[in-house]
Amino acid sequence: MKPGQVLSNSDISKKYLSAIGLIVLTLAMVAPAIHIHPAFPNIRPEEILLLFSFPLLFNFSGITKDVKLYLWLTLAFVLFILFEIGYQNRSGIIRDYFEALKILKYAWFFLISYFFFTLDKLKNVLKYIFVFLVSFNIAHYFNLFDFNLIIEPIYAPDVHLKFFGLNTLGQPDTKRLLGTLGNPNNNAILFLFFMCLFSFSKERSIRVLFYIAFVFMLACQSRTALIASLPVLFLRWSTMKNYKLISKDILVLLASAIAFFYLDAAYLAALGDTGKLMEGGSVKGRLQVWSELWVMIKQNPWLGHGPNKDYFYDRNMYPESEYMLALWRYGWLGFILFLIWLSYPVINYFKSKYLNPELLFGISFWMVILISCITNNPLQEPSILLMFACSTGLLFKAHFDRKPYEKVIAGR
C-alpha cells in the first residue's frame, strides 16, 4: 500500500478474510479439539474463528460458472443429507445435523481459499507451521521430556496412545506417529498435504521441506498413505523434463527412506510381511466391518440408513472406508451424488491445455484423498476436510492464471 492510501471496506475485508483463512488452516493443523461434555461433539477452535468470516464473504463477487455449479452440487449434497435425516425419522437427533454442517463448512472454506489464497502465500506461511509440526512429531517419537504423558494426550485418544510403540500384547513394536491429529493415518495425510504443497517449487529450501515431509509421512506407517504418495511423486516427476533431475530426486527420496528404515528397521519388516498383515487386526477388522455394513446396505440399497452416527458410536466401530460409509448412509442415490461432488473439481479441468502449480497442487492432494478414502475416513476428520477445501479452492482458482506448462514447471 502506498503512503497515504486509504483502504476501502472491500480492501479491509479482503485482508481480514485472507488472515482469518490462514489462521483457520493453521489451527486445523496444530490445535487440539475442545472437549466440553461426552454428550456434545468436540469443538474445533478454527470453527469458532471461521464464524467471524461469514458476513464479510458476501461482499465479494467474481464466481465463475464452474464454481457456481460446484457450489450447487455441494448444496444438493447437503439437502440430500437433510432429506435422509427426515426420511429415517431422526429429525430430533442433533448430532446427525453436523454431517450437513460439516459440508457447509467445507464450502465456506472452499470459497475463502478460492478468493484469497495463492500457492505462494500458503507456502510462505505454512512452511513455518511445518517446522513446528516436525518438531512436535520428533518430541512425540522420542518422548522427549515425557511428551507422551503431558502433551500428546491432549491430541490423541487413549486407544491410539496406549499402544504407541507397542503391539496388542504390550510388546515393543514399531512407532506410528500420532502427531497433532491424534491418528497415524490422518497424520500421514497431513504430511502428504505438505508433500503436495512443496512438490512443485523451484526453491531449494522448499525441496528440502518436501523430502522431510516424505520421511515423516513414512514415520506414520500408513500403508494407504504410502500408496497415495505414489501418484504425487509421479506427478512431481512428470513436471521435470530433465531426467537428471528426476534421477537425483529419486536418489534423495531413497536415501531419506533408507535413513528412516535404519532408525526403525522393524517397520520395513512389517511392511513386507504379507501374512502378518492379513492375520492382523488391520485387514481382518476392515473386512468384518465392511461385511456387516454390506448386509445392511442390501436391506435398503437406494436410500441407505442416514447419517446415524449413533450406530458407530454405540458399537465403538469405525467404518474404515469413506466410500463404504457414504453408501451405507445414503444408499446408491446419495453415493452417486457423493462421487460426483468428490470428482467434479478435477474432472472439470481435464479439458485444460495448461498447467500451473496451483492446479498441480490441487490435483495431487485430490488423488491423496481419493486413495485414502478406500481404506480410511479422511473426510470425517475436520482438519483434513479443511485442507481438502483449501486444495480444491486453489484448483478452481487456477484457471485465472493459466500459463503454458513449459514456462511454469519445466526445467526446474
Side-chain angles (χ1 to χ4, degrees):
M1 187 175 65
K2 297 179 180 179
Q5 182 179 351
V6 179
L7 286 173
S8 66
N9 289 335
S10 179
D11 290 331
I12 294 173
S13 298
K14 183 176 181 179
K15 290 180 178 293
Y16 175 79
L17 284 169
S18 178
I20 286 290
L22 291 171
I23 295 172
V24 163
L25 191 58
T26 298
L27 289 174
M29 294 176 174
V30 306
I34 302 172
H35 306 277
I36 297 179
H37 190 275
F40 294 95
N42 297 334
I43 296 177
R44 299 284 315 176
E46 67 272 10
E47 293 173 342
I48 300 173
L49 187 61
L50 201 56
L51 291 173
F52 294 98
S53 67
F54 185 71
L56 293 176
L57 197 57
F58 293 100
N59 293 335
F60 296 91
S61 59
I63 298 178
T64 57
K65 291 182 180 179
D66 52 352
V67 174
K68 288 181 180 178
L69 178 56
Y70 186 57
L71 290 175
W72 280 114
L73 283 172
T74 305
L75 180 60
F77 189 33
V78 170
L79 292 176
F80 191 88
I81 294 173
L82 295 176
F83 163 76
E84 281 282 349
I85 292 173
Y87 176 77
Q88 303 293 344
N89 295 318
R90 295 182 60 85
S91 301
I93 310 299
I94 301 298
R95 61 173 41 167
D96 283 8
Y97 289 96
F98 282 92
E99 289 304 305
L101 184 62
K102 180 175 65 179
I103 303 302
L104 287 175
K105 182 181 69 175
Y106 166 90
W108 195 341
F109 198 68
F110 161 80
L111 283 176
I112 290 178
S113 303
Y114 171 76
F115 277 121
F116 309 116
F117 285 175
T118 65
L119 195 62
D120 287 338
K121 179 185 291 186
L122 280 181
K123 285 189 293 188
N124 289 336
V125 173
L126 294 186
K127 63 184 180 183
Y128 300 106
I129 306 304
F130 177 73
V131 172
F132 168 81
L133 290 171
V134 167
S135 303
F136 185 101
N137 280 269
I138 288 175
H140 165 47
Y141 188 87
F142 293 104
N143 193 25
L144 301 178
F145 307 108
D146 287 330
F147 190 90
N148 293 334
L149 293 176
I150 301 172
I151 303 298
E152 190 61 33
I154 302 174
Y155 292 86
D158 290 339
V159 66
H160 292 302
L161 194 56
K162 180 180 179 181
F163 293 103
F164 178 69
L166 302 173
N167 60 22
T168 53
L169 299 176
Q171 300 168 336
D173 202 350
T174 59
K175 296 179 180 179
R176 303 186 66 193
L177 283 179
L178 304 176
T180 53
L181 297 191
N183 178 296
N185 294 317
N186 291 337
N187 199 36
I189 295 175
L190 173 60
F191 283 109
L192 279 169
F193 176 86
F194 282 102
M195 281 182 62
C196 297
L197 183 66
F198 299 146
S199 279
F200 312 102
S201 176
K202 299 178 181 179
E203 301 175 49
R204 180 173 297 180
S205 60
I206 296 298
R207 291 203 300 269
V208 172
L209 296 181
F210 169 81
Y211 299 131
I212 296 173
F214 173 74
V215 171
F216 277 82
M217 180 276 297
L218 288 179
C220 296
Q221 302 188 22
S222 168
R223 289 179 173 87
T224 303
L226 184 59
I227 295 172
S229 71
L230 297 180
V232 177
L233 294 175
F234 287 133
L235 189 59
R236 171 182 170 85
W237 294 331
S238 70
T239 66
M240 298 178 179
K241 292 297 183 68
N242 188 327
Y243 290 106
K244 290 183 179 179
L245 290 176
I246 298 175
S247 301
K248 181 179 178 181
D249 197 62
I250 293 174
L251 287 174
V252 175
L253 288 170
L254 285 175
S256 302
I258 291 171
F260 167 71
F261 290 142
Y262 178 79
L263 183 66
D264 194 349
Y267 173 50
L268 184 60
L271 190 64
D273 191 346
T274 307
K276 181 179 179 181
L277 172 64
M278 295 304 297
E279 290 299 322
S282 179
V283 172
K284 185 179 291 186
R286 281 180 169 85
L287 292 177
Q288 289 175 348
V289 170
W290 294 344
S291 177
E292 179 179 334
L293 295 181
W294 182 247
V295 170
M296 296 183 67
I297 288 169
K298 291 190 291 185
Q299 294 172 357
N300 194 3
W302 294 109
L303 290 175
H305 300 273
N308 199 353
K309 299 166 76 72
D310 293 329
Y311 180 84
F312 298 96
Y313 288 141
D314 293 344
R315 291 163 176 78
N316 194 25
M317 175 180 172
Y318 300 93
E320 303 290 7
S321 170
E322 201 73 52
Y323 302 120
M324 185 64 74
L325 178 62
L327 185 56
W328 181 87
R329 280 178 166 175
Y330 310 122
W332 286 104
L333 292 177
F335 181 67
I336 291 171
L337 182 59
F338 169 75
L339 289 182
I340 294 173
W341 170 78
L342 187 64
S343 304
Y344 180 77
V346 168
I347 292 175
N348 184 54
Y349 282 92
F350 280 156
K351 58 188 177 183
S352 176
K353 296 180 180 179
Y354 299 114
L355 290 174
N356 56 29
E358 282 83 2
L359 193 64
L360 292 167
F361 165 63
I363 291 174
S364 59
F365 194 63
W366 175 81
M367 290 190 296
V368 166
I369 294 298
L370 208 67
I371 294 171
S372 299
C373 283
I374 298 174
T375 57
N376 291 300
N377 296 95
L379 299 182
Q380 301 305 306
E381 168 57 49
S383 299
I384 294 177
L385 193 65
L386 287 182
M387 294 177 217
F388 186 49
C390 172
S391 66
T392 52
L394 285 178
L395 200 158
F396 275 92
K397 187 176 184 175
H399 77 282
F400 280 130
D401 187 28
R402 286 181 180 171
K403 297 178 181 178
Y405 173 93
E406 290 80 6
K407 290 183 179 180
V408 176
I409 303 296
R412 63 184 178 87

